[in-house]
Amino acid sequence: ATVPVAVPAPGGLPPAVRRVGPLVGLEPGLFVGRRAEQRVLPRALTGLDPASAAGVVVHGIGGVGKTTLATELVRRALELDPALIVVAVTGRVLVETILTAVAARLRTYYAQGNVLDQALPLLQALGRADLPWQERLAVLQEAVLDQVPLLLVLDNFEDNLSDPNEDN
């Protein structure tokens, strides 16, 4: 569970609060705008909308509020489905980073349900760097995604689109 941490906001705006892993958003009720997205997308993310796709992409130029919107969508999705497991990763990511974050979150999930012994082989497979990531992803897909509601948030994913060795 993430502990809320006050974060000072620029321009005298209400303080933001760390709500979902590394994602920072406003207190509930302070986020304004994007009403249609706030109403429709959480239902899509939880699978409550039968016409929904498997995911949502929020994109735009820096500073338009993508992370704040994503955090609000996650908060609302959790209201609709409290069993939803949220894994948030920010910045430059590798498949290894994602699998490690998912395995860590699943470890907590399974431990809370006292079924960690049964899930241990799955968690060990996800964390095995000697296995190709495609095999570990297949384990995740076959053993988890059909049984456990999992939402993966990749914040600032555009960092992956540039060469880290390139001078900016």
Side-chain angles (χ1 to χ4, degrees):
T2 303
V3 178
V5 177
V7 178
L13 295 173
V17 174
R18 190 169 301 275
R19 303 297 295 176
V20 180
L23 303 180
V24 176
L26 297 174
E27 281 287 351
L30 296 178
F31 182 80
V32 295
R34 301 290 184 191
R35 289 184 184 263
E37 290 84 355
Q38 289 184 59
R39 189 175 51 257
V40 173
L41 295 179
R43 294 182 56 78
L45 292 172
T46 56
L48 294 174
D49 180 357
S52 67
V56 172
V57 175
V58 177
H59 64 93
I61 63 171
V64 297
K66 298 179 300 291
T67 299
T68 303
L69 175 60
T71 304
E72 182 67 13
L73 295 176
V74 168
R75 187 186 69 75
R76 288 172 179 248
L78 284 167
E79 286 177 356
L80 292 172
D81 184 358
L84 186 66
I85 297 173
V86 179
V87 177
V89 181
T90 188
R92 186 169 289 282
V93 295
L94 302 170
V95 174
E96 184 67 39
T97 307
I98 295 170
L99 291 172
T100 300
V102 169
R105 186 60 186 92
L106 287 173
R107 187 170 285 108
T108 302
Y109 168 78
Y110 286 122
Q112 290 170 344
N114 299 318
V115 291
L116 189 57
D117 291 341
Q118 298 156 344
L120 203 52
L122 161 73
L123 296 173
Q124 288 172 338
L126 287 178
R128 285 188 51 194
D130 62 313
L131 289 178
W133 68 264
Q134 295 93 334
E135 286 183 31
R136 292 183 288 156
L137 193 58
V139 167
L140 180 64
Q141 184 176 5
E142 294 166 9
V144 176
L145 297 182
D146 285 342
Q147 301 170 22
V148 177
L150 178 72
L151 175 59
L152 175 63
V153 179
L154 302 174
D155 189 36
N156 293 325
F157 189 76
E158 66 274 9
D159 291 351
N160 293 284
L161 302 177
S162 61
D163 185 352
N165 299 318
E166 190 177 282
D167 288 335
N168 292 336

